Amino acid sequence: MADKTSEIKQSFMAELEAVNEISQLEAIKVKYLGKNGLITELMKDMKSLTPEEKKSFGQAVNVLKNEVSEIIAEKTEELKHKAILEEINKMQDFDISTPANTERGSYHPITLVQRQCEAIFKSMGFTVEEYSEVVTDYECFEALNIPKHHPARDMQDTYYLENGQLLKSHTSATQNAIYKKYKDNLVNNGVPIKAIFPGRCFRNEATDACHENTFFQMEGVMVDKNISISNLIFFMKTMLSEVFKKDIKVRLRPGFFPFVEPGFELDISCLICGGEGCPSCKHSGWLELCPCGMIHPEVLKAGEIDPEEYTGFAFGLGLTRLAMMKYGVKDIRDLNSGNLKSLSQFTDDE
Ligand code: FA5
């Protein structure tokens, strides 16, 4: 019996000599250690042995099994290392006389405008937050004072996922997490919550020159004692004058969103047609750009902030539309087109 184990060891070592690739090693592993492998089969031979023989033979088989497993593990590492070195060598194998590609890439207009907005708000003490594109129903609706079956849900044709979560239909879905993240600092240290959170939003919308099914918004919130509509208007005015660097016509009108009270629509006079009316503004001369309002007490409560003590404002800037207006893009769909020829003409003018 002992001869059998050493015979197997010898044939294993001989086969191993010829191995150069992981796939060959895998085959040997199966041949010796697999369910019907040579070493596994040895155990089956034990039936015919006396108890004494079984003990010593069992030990010998176990030793063989451990040795073979260890050798295979070491060889696996060795082969992986060899494969990595080969890849590295291949990468170094380039022709230094190849002419350099001098064509430079450029930032997407939405990235440009997002960065401008971030810089503006950062300079006013706002933090920039990131959040997932997949959110819960609670974050997107319930925490925003939109209970299940509330008709306000119809305002956003939402993509629901099979697991009950959904694709963020507006950046307001991040509000609840931000309130919870900063509430202790607000209450214990008196530090106002000032945060912006840009993000991609998804709605099952029919597209046209000013509507996309995938677009960017940038939400902003500020919560502290005695925050009022004047604060909101100040920040909106500052942001727009810094982004456009010229006088632009805006209008503020009442707007309904269950998560603000009072709520406003902030529209911008269409910069494509100068307010005359065109497809970019649906022939109205105005483009809805940045709805906003005072945060509803129920929303603060859901964020574990006492509405008796604190108030705040929130806005939801349409970043993609802002990029349209800033760079004179007539059709919003061009921004998602991936057409490098048209998209690469924009540069950061800061
Ligand atoms: C909202 O999404 C609210 N969450 C905004 C808000 C935040 C209100 C905080 C109050 C307080 P609305 O659906 O109107 O609202 O979208 C906000 C902005 O996103 C619009 O004004 C527009 O600029 C942009 N937007 C909305 N839908 C689209 C779309 N399909 N394509 C491109 N931009 C869009």
Side-chain angles (χ1 to χ4, degrees):
M1 279 301 199
D3 286 352
K4 241 182 174 176
T5 51
S6 56
E7 243 173 55
I8 290 183
K9 173 91 183 275
Q10 267 176 15
S11 74
F12 168 75
M13 293 307 285
E15 285 188 52
L16 194 74
E17 282 280 294
V19 166
N20 286 317
E21 283 175 23
I22 294 271
S23 59
Q24 293 170 317
L25 191 62
E26 288 292 325
I28 291 191
K29 191 175 173 186
V30 173
K31 179 172 173 187
Y32 286 87
L33 297 174
K35 220 163 125 198
N36 300 315
L38 294 175
I39 298 178
T40 323
E41 288 289 318
L42 276 182
M43 288 292 190
K44 295 178 190 161
D45 294 346
M46 290 215 296
K47 278 184 221 141
S48 56
L49 301 178
T50 64
E52 261 321 290
E53 285 170 331
K54 264 187 196 163
K55 198 173 161 205
S56 64
F57 182 67
Q59 272 171 359
V61 174
N62 270 338
V63 167
L64 175 65
K65 195 173 157 190
N66 290 340
E67 273 178 2
V68 167
S69 304
E70 263 173 41
I71 293 171
I72 289 179
E74 275 168 22
K75 189 77 181 175
T76 308
E77 282 310 306
E78 186 190 312
L79 290 176
K80 277 188 186 162
H81 189 68
K82 199 174 127 216
I84 291 171
L85 284 180
E86 276 169 10
E87 276 304 307
I88 292 173
N89 283 337
K90 261 192 234 156
M91 283 195 286
Q92 285 168 347
D93 195 15
F94 65 90
D95 178 1
I96 53 163
S97 63
T98 309
N101 182 355
T102 49
E103 237 178 79
R104 292 183 61 202
S106 62
Y107 286 114
H108 193 283
I110 299 175
T111 307
L112 292 175
V113 96
Q114 177 177 327
R115 288 185 172 193
Q116 288 156 19
C117 290
E118 286 178 3
I120 294 163
F121 279 100
K122 271 194 205 163
S123 75
M124 297 191 287
F126 284 71
T127 60
V128 181
E129 311 284 336
E130 279 193 33
Y131 206 65
S132 159
E133 288 178 349
V134 174
V135 294
T136 61
D137 185 277
Y138 178 79
E139 291 171 310
C140 203
F141 297 121
E142 290 190 47
L144 292 168
N145 199 27
I146 311 178
K148 286 209 160 60
H149 312 300
H150 192 284
R153 288 195 177 207
D154 293 345
M155 298 199 305
Q156 299 172 4
D157 200 347
T158 309
Y159 293 107
Y160 286 88
L161 305 178
E162 276 171 8
N163 65 3
Q165 293 186 309
L166 45 97
L167 295 185
K168 189 156 75 183
S169 56
H170 56 169
T171 41
S172 305
T174 310
Q175 281 193 24
N176 189 257
I178 298 301
Y179 300 142
K180 287 178 178 160
K181 179 173 173 188
Y182 289 115
K183 69 179 164 57
D184 290 340
N185 210 15
L186 171 72
V187 174
N188 301 332
N189 306 322
V191 179
I193 300 177
K194 289 167 91 178
I196 53 167
F197 21 104
R200 187 157 40 179
C201 304
F202 308 86
R203 295 186 195 172
N204 186 19
E205 297 212 4
T207 63
D208 59 29
C210 57
H211 288 89
E212 255 292 9
N213 49 30
T214 305
F215 57 95
F216 285 82
Q217 289 185 343
M218 193 184 80
E219 193 92 355
V221 294
M222 177 170 182
V223 181
D224 198 3
K225 291 188 174 161
N226 304 318
I227 296 292
S228 71
I229 297 176
S230 336
N231 299 106
L232 167 63
I233 292 173
F234 167 79
F235 283 106
M236 294 295 89
K237 266 189 170 170
T238 310
M239 185 251 305
L240 291 173
S241 63
E242 295 270 324
V243 168
F244 287 103
K245 300 221 173 337
K246 63 175 180 185
D247 273 346
I248 41 147
K249 239 165 95 182
V250 292
R251 71 176 182 192
L252 201 62
R253 60 193 167 93
F256 170 69
F257 302 91
F259 34 95
V260 284
E261 182 55 44
F264 306 100
E265 286 283 1
L266 191 153
D267 303 333
I268 174 172
S269 172
C270 180
L271 295 173
I272 306 286
C273 60
E276 299 275 304
C278 67
S280 309
C281 57
K282 275 190 159 175
H283 305 282
S284 71
W286 295 95
L287 202 68
E288 286 177 12
L289 185 70
C290 186
C292 49
M294 300 304 293
I295 302 166
H296 196 287
E298 287 303 323
V299 175
L300 288 175
K301 267 194 225 163
E304 296 165 10
I305 293 171
D306 181 1
E308 297 290 328
E309 210 167 330
Y310 297 97
T311 50
F313 67 75
F315 62 87
L317 172 68
L319 262 188
T320 308
R321 284 199 188 159
L322 187 62
M324 268 177 91
M325 291 294 111
K326 165 113 194 195
Y327 294 110
V329 178
K330 288 188 181 143
D331 194 313
I332 198 168
R333 290 165 291 197
D334 289 341
L335 290 169
N336 275 1
S337 68
N339 180 346
L340 294 182
K341 212 167 166 195
S342 65
L343 292 175
S344 62
Q345 61 188 300
F346 306 103
T347 50
D348 194 344
D349 57 2
E350 297 308 295

